[in-house]
């Protein structure tokens, strides 16, 4: 293994730490760990039960957001979090914990399906190949995972339970009084016994099966409904709001997206809005993420108010957070899709209708129809954009403001969304910016009802903008029956809410921004729904014995593409084309019958909603997870009121969707008694991003970053100057660096150290391949401090270390130990480097009592070299399960501390003194100090107050 050192023209030492040696060491230890099961975490029972002494330790369940096995493989940015959790997990193992750390794959998803559409390759084939590739890349990094617990969400053994959970959710309802989910059978029993009246006028026993199913659908936590969804005929699928661009087209493919009513599965996550909000308080998550969840859930306290409309006793119910401004409501707006619109539209425009209100249309019906078509082409985001000009049209109808008795015109406008509140608002243009803009455009009256705190006066027609404030008094708010004048906003709200409630025309209410979760996709590569429909179209869930329901083979993986501009088409799913699979005869307990299978698949998010639980008990074929095992790893304990994973590391981009969905599933499983933890992830940590330099040529195209040369701070590619900027790492920007390259050049331990040393874990940082060598040199010096490079043997003595070395060692143990426990890996490395440099400088052979703790210090960061050195130091057991060294406090305290000497309370000198100095000695030193002598200027001394070792105060005579 000797190489030639060209500089010296002499062979270098045969046992020097080189990339080749690192590769050899690393491969050997990786094989050893796999064969030995070094990272196997014992369960308290079941097939993965193990050493009771280890089980008795405090547990630590450490988890990464698992990867999607992409065809591109990993670049060095991907493993940042995986290395960090690995270092942390190793440190926790060395500090007395039973550590569960493993990694699976989130393997359903669109890229494999698109590849299948293009090439005809089964998504499973390409996904599995990608997983093999990624596993090899990850293995090369030396991650200490319990591989017995790994799985992919596409494994039928896994998705059997995803389907089973769906069945549990389908078969339960939310009991708002008990504030928990309960089996739907208990609701049926209540309907049957008459304890609860079903929302129909007929008795439960008189309803047909289909009618009962319809009623129950209004309660189930998973239910099918004809909801307005983003339908993209060009792609042949519905899309989530996040997948639609601001101008109402599909992010992928740029096809038009329409709002269409399609029968889709939904999850009633809104039932849990309060608990999802309240339980955030008990979680150890970054505040920014908690805030995003709070905003996403969007709890608003306000009121519902009825405005009478027409002569039939109908009312438009609005949701408002400012019921105090009711006297200022001078018009109303319904969402264009609001169901009341058609019934209130009169045949002709009322006498004297303002021309601007009609949009130039001959009849209200025509105006409404035209405007609806216009609004349907816009996304919700676009509709809500504040800056946009307000559009809308008069319906021809008037409603009655319940406090002022005024007739107010009713408009439809797209700035009111169907999906929020009641889909209708009372508009208070004087005090709401959007209403103000609309009122200006349509020349509608404004009435100031909240006294402005500036000098604009109370005539709103002269204002430039709305006056929106909670901190003011009500004015112009006296009617025949009630007056709010002079009250503050809070009191006025309370008073008007009571008044409305007494009359039965309103009530205080809480509204949430959160919507139910659209849960079906017209795709192939996802979990099939465990649902079949009988001849009456009633949905039935499959019993556990029929799970997993595996994906059928199909000829064509693509959803059918329709005329991209035609909203009136409906999706044809890939699964629906396999008639043999779709039409089945099953015995669901009442004899063999014909059924049709649901042909949508579950969304991408389903598999990641509960994977933490499967890690615990991955081979259980009887249960989702054994309760005792779940309780052991996830159960609530001190400081973790809802239980959960001890550390979950991943990107901040998953603030809402995944993290909210997983919380929701946890709560349902908790309510139904399947788990003891009501929260999946107790502590959440967001790692930063590894960024990379992008180099662009004069045309702005990225050039291969690896081939750019730097000269005098300028950058050149093939001789031409290029511009450097910071961007994402990836193939398209031609700046991806793979972990494989870095491992080949330096070894995995160097890569691990470099990634951890780059900066605080939660901060983004630019990758710099040239800087990696710094960590390589650290490992070379570490090696040389312990191993004789000629013989390859460890050379240590039994001598006692000197005082300075003891101090350096114990400070490093203390400092790095604290840092590792708190995930400050960069500073831990700095402290270890400092110790190693001290030892290098001191020279000579290391005492064993220094070499061993040194190896243990680096063991979590650079596990391969640590194993090798540990073995060379004569140990037969793995370094992985050694105890982290304990610092001796006597050597940790600073050698000197700074003592302040004051004369009459003013600082005159600072002394560097040993921390253990006595009062007498310190007084002597202080009085002898030159600066003190000079400052006293020969004056006598009345008193000396000594507080060793920090302070001496001298009072002159
Ligand atoms: C009258 C009013 C007066 C309002 C005022 C605000 C200020 P948050 O806090 O986000 O819940 N609103 C209600 N439903 C809506 C819908 N479907 N589409 C668009 N806007 C809607 O917002 C609640 C406020 O947003 C409600 O209170 C309502 O306008 C509007 F000085 O009512 B407010």
């Amino acid at each position: 293994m000797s190489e030639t050192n060209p500089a010296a023209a002499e062979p270098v030492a045969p046992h020097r730490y080189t990339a080749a040696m690192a590769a050899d060491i690393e491969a050997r230890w990786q094989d050893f760990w796999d064969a030995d099961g070094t990272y196997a975490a014992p369960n308290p029972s079941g097939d993965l039960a193990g050493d009771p002494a280890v089980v008795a330790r405090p547990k630590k369940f450490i988890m990464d957001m698992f990867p999607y096995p992409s065809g591109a493989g990993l670049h060095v940015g991907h493993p940042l979090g995986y290395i960090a959790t690995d270092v942390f997990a190793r440190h926790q193992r060395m500090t007395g914990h039973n550590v569960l750390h493993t990694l699976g794959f989130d393997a359903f998803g669109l890229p494999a399906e698109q590849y299948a559409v293009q090439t005809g390759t089964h998504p499973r084939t390409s996904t599995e190949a990608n997983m093999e590739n990624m596993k090899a890349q990850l293995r090369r990094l030396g991650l200490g995972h319990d591989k017995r617990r790994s799985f992919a969400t596409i494994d039928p053994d896994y998705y059997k339970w995803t389907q089973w959970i769906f069945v549990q959710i389908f078969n339960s309802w939310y009991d708002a009084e008990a504030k928990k989910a309960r089996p739907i059978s208990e609701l049926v029993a209540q309907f049957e016994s008459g304890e609860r009246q079903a929302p129909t006028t007929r008795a439960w026993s008189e309803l047909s099966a289909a009618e009962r199913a319809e009623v129950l659908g209004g309660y189930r936590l998973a239910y099918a409904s004809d909801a307005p969804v983003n339908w993209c005929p060009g792609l042949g699928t519905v899309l989530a709001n996040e997948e639609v661009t601001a101008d109402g087209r599909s992010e992928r493919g740029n096809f038009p997206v329409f709002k269409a009513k399609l029968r889709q599965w939904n999850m009633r996550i809104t039932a849990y809005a309060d608990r999802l909000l309240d339980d955030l308080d008990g979680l150890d998550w970054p505040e920014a993420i908690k805030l995003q969840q709070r905003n996403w859930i969007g709890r608003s306290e306000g009121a519902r108010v009825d405005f009478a409309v027409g002569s039939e006793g109908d009312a438009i119910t609005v949701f408002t957070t400012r019921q105090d401004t009711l006297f200022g409501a001078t018009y109303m707006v319904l969402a264009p899709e609001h169901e009341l619109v058609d019934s209130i539209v009169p045949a002709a425009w009322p006498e004297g209708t303002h021309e601007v209100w009609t949009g130039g249309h001959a009849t209200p019906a025509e105006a409404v129809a035209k405007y609806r078509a216009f609004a349907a082409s816009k996304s919700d985001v676009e509709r809500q954009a504040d800056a946009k000009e307000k559009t809308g049209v008069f319906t021809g109808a008037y409603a009655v403001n319940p406090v002022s008795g005024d007739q107010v015109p009713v408009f439809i406008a797209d700035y009111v969304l169907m999906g929020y509140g009641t889909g209708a608002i009372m508009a208070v243009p004087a005090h709401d910016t959007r209403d103000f803009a609309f009122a200006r455009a349509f020349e509608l009256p404004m009435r100031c009802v909240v006294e402005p705190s500036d000098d604009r006066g109370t005539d709103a027609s002269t204002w430039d903008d709305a006056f929106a404030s909670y901190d003011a008094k009500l004015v112009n708010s006296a009617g025949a029956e009630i007056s709010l004048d002079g009250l503050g906003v809070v009191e006025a709200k309370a008073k008007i809410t009571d008044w409305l409630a007494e009359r039965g025309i309103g009530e205080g209410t809480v509204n949430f921004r959160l919507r139910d979760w659209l849960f079906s996709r017209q795709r192939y590569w996802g979990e099939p729904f465990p649902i079949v429909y009988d001849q009456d179209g009633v949905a039935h869930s499959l019993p556990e014995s029929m799970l997993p329901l595996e994906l059928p083979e199909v000829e064509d993986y693509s959803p059918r593409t329709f005329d991209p501009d035609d909203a009136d088409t409906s999706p044809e799913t890939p699964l629906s084309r396999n008639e043999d699979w779709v039409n089945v005869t099953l015995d669901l307990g009442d004899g063999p019958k014909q059924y049709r299978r649901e042909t949508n698949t579950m969304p991408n998010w389903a598999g990641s909603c509960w994977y933490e639980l499967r890690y615990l008990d991955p081979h259980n074929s009887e249960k989702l997870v054994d309760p005792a095992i779940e309780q052991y790893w996830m159960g609530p304990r001190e400081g973790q009121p809802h239980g959960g994973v001890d550390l979950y590391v991943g990107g901040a981009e998953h603030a809402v969707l995944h993290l909210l969905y997983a919380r929701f599933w946890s709560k349902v499983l908790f309510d139904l008694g399947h788990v003891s933890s009501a929260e999946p992830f107790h502590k959440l940590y967001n790692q930063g991003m590894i960024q990379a330099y992008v180099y662009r040529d004069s045309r702005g195209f990225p050039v291969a970053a690896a081939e750019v040369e730097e000269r005098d701070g300028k950058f050149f590619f093939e001789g031409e100057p290029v511009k450097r900027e910071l961007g994402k790492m990836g193939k398209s920007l031609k700046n991806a660096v793979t972990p494989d390259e870095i491992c080949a050049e330096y070894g995995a331990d160097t890569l691990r150290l470099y990634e951890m040393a780059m900066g605080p874990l939660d901060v983004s940082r630019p990758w710099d391949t040239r800087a990696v060598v710094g960590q390589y040199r650290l490992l070379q010096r570490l090696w040389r401090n312990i191993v004789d490079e000629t013989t390859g043997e460890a050379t240590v003595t039994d001598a006692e270390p000197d005082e300075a070395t003891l101090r350096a060692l114990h400070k490093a143990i203390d400092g790095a130990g604290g840092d590792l426990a708190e995930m400050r890996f960069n500073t831990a490395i700095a402290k270890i480097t400092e110790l190693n440099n001290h030892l290098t400088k001191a020279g000579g052979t290391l005492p064993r009592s220094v070499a061993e703790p040194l190896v243990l210090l680096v063991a979590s960061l650079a596990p391969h070299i640590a194993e090798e050195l540990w073995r060379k130091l004569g140990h037969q057991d793995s370094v992985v399960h050694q105890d982290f060294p304990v610092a001796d406090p006597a050597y940790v305290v600073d050698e000197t501390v700074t003592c302040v000497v004051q004369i009459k309370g003013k600082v005159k000198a600072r002394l560097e003194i040993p921390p253990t100095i006595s009062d007498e000695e310190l007084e002597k030193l202080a009085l002898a100090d030159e600066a003190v002598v000079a400052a006293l200027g020969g004056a006598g001394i009345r008193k000396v107050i000594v507080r060793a070792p920090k302070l001496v105060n001298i009072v002159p005579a």
Side-chain angles (χ1 to χ4, degrees), residues 165 315 629:
I165 295 171
I629 297 174

Side-chain angles (χ1 to χ4, degrees), residues 300 319-322 415-417 420 425-426 431-432 513:
S300 288
F319 170 69
T320 173
T321 48
R322 292 300 300 269
Y415 78 98
V416 172
L417 302 177
Y420 190 69
I425 66 159
M426 62 181 220
H431 305 293
D432 179 275
R513 190 161 292 278

Side-chain angles (χ1 to χ4, degrees), residues 821-836:
E822 301 291 328
M823 306 214 299
R824 293 187 302 260
F825 305 120
N826 58 326
T827 52
I829 293 170
K831 286 166 192 172
I832 294 168
T833 307
E834 203 179 313
L835 168 65
N836 198 51

Side-chain angles (χ1 to χ4, degrees), residues 191 378 418:
F191 286 155
K378 287 165 104 188
M418 194 55 229

Side-chain angles (χ1 to χ4, degrees), residues 525-572:
W525 193 226
E527 298 87 348
F529 279 84
I531 291 286
V532 290
Y533 298 93
D534 65 22
Q535 317 249 299
D536 297 330
V538 173
H540 299 263
S541 58
L542 295 179
E544 192 186 326
S545 61
M546 292 184 191
L547 303 182
L549 171 62
E550 297 202 35
L551 272 170
E553 296 303 319
V554 296
E555 296 274 301
D556 176 5
Y557 302 103
S558 49
R560 198 172 125 218
T561 303
F562 296 87
D563 176 356
D565 294 318
D566 185 359
D568 292 330
T569 46
S570 57
E572 179 191 282

